Amino acid sequence: MQRTLRALGRDIRIARKKRRFPVADFAARMGVSPGTVVRLERGEPGVAAGVVAMALLALGELHRLEGLLDVSRDDTGLMLDIDSLPQRIRRPRLPAAKEDT
């Protein structure tokens, strides 16, 4: 997990620099402190998901968050669905006929 967070932070830092945003300006666009931006770019795990979303918004890349976990491509979830299927499917029982007395 740490490696992934560091890579995400590095990518955000590169995107910020490509846009020529100083840390202070980027933080102001995000509505956070410059220290939070630094922690985000270091990949620290305590940074809230909302901060990541605000960074993507400030970079004009919020649309990337929408497809983060596409349930139609969730192989584990799909396998769990398959595992929960019944082993057998029986015909429904017909209601018992009522006797006229």
Side-chain angles (χ1 to χ4, degrees), residues 2-31:
Q2 188 63 31
R3 183 181 309 154
T4 302
L5 291 175
R6 281 195 305 265
L8 175 61
R10 182 197 66 232
D11 292 345
I12 290 172
R13 183 177 56 251
I14 291 169
R16 173 183 60 78
K17 288 181 174 183
K18 284 182 175 183
R19 288 160 177 79
R20 306 289 193 257
F21 294 156
V23 170
D25 292 350
F26 191 51
R29 287 174 178 254
M30 293 173 55

Side-chain angles (χ1 to χ4, degrees), residues 23-83:
V23 170
D25 292 350
F26 191 51
R29 287 174 178 254
M30 293 173 55
V32 299
S33 72
T36 299
V37 171
V38 171
R39 288 181 29 243
L40 170 66
E41 292 182 352
R42 285 184 189 155
E44 292 184 14
V47 176
V51 172
V52 175
M54 290 305 297
L56 292 174
L57 179 64
L59 293 168
E61 298 290 332
L62 186 60
H63 63 279
R64 294 179 182 268
L65 192 58
E66 293 172 2
L68 188 62
L69 182 59
D70 182 354
V71 293
S72 67
R73 294 181 178 185
D74 178 8
D75 294 336
T76 302
L78 293 171
M79 290 304 297
L80 291 171
D81 284 347
I82 291 171
D83 288 346

